[in-house]
Amino acid sequence: MTFRRLADDGMRYFAASALAFALDLAALSGLSRFAGVHYLLAAPVGFALGLALIYLLSVRWVFAERRMTNPRVEFVLFGLIGVVGMGINELVIYAGVEQFALAPEQAKIPS
């Protein structure tokens, strides 16, 4: 892989990550503020939506070639890593809201 290719993939991944984070944050905020869903329930919904978006963008737009030949196995591994991330996300948001009196959206940023 050339440096140019690596840089292009990196920029596309950065853009895809920003979109996924925006969706995650918008879902958290919308569900908790406008729909009255508790922030600890809204956070994993937003995280799952962001995770699905980053996966779709990664396989369709960010990376030209896949490292794994079986898309099902790839998705399962991606999902397992995502579940660990979701747990960390929940803990950080909980600590931010309950221990540091932050709004859920503020607590989401470091997560």
Side-chain angles (χ1 to χ4, degrees):
M1 179 177 285
T2 66
F3 177 76
R4 174 69 182 183
R5 176 64 182 218
L6 186 61
D8 288 346
D9 285 356
M11 290 303 294
R12 283 193 300 274
Y13 190 77
F14 178 79
S17 295
L19 288 171
F21 179 76
L23 176 60
D24 182 350
L25 187 61
L28 168 64
S29 186
L31 288 170
S32 63
R33 296 212 180 266
F34 302 116
V37 176
H38 192 275
Y39 75 92
L40 288 177
L41 296 176
V45 171
F47 188 91
L49 291 171
L51 186 69
L53 181 60
I54 193 65
Y55 179 78
L56 289 173
L57 290 174
S58 292
V59 298
R60 303 268 187 222
W61 179 60
V62 174
F63 302 109
E65 55 190 66
R66 297 172 100 156
R67 292 191 180 241
M68 301 189 80
T69 57
N70 187 332
R72 288 185 183 142
V73 172
E74 178 186 66
F75 182 75
V76 167
L77 289 174
F78 193 86
L80 289 174
I81 293 167
V83 168
V84 172
M86 188 180 298
I88 294 168
N89 184 63
E90 283 285 286
L91 288 172
V92 171
I93 292 174
Y94 173 79
V97 171
E98 301 299 329
Q99 300 299 315
F100 299 104
L102 298 173
E105 296 88 351
Q106 292 172 314
K108 172 68 186 163
I109 293 170
S111 75

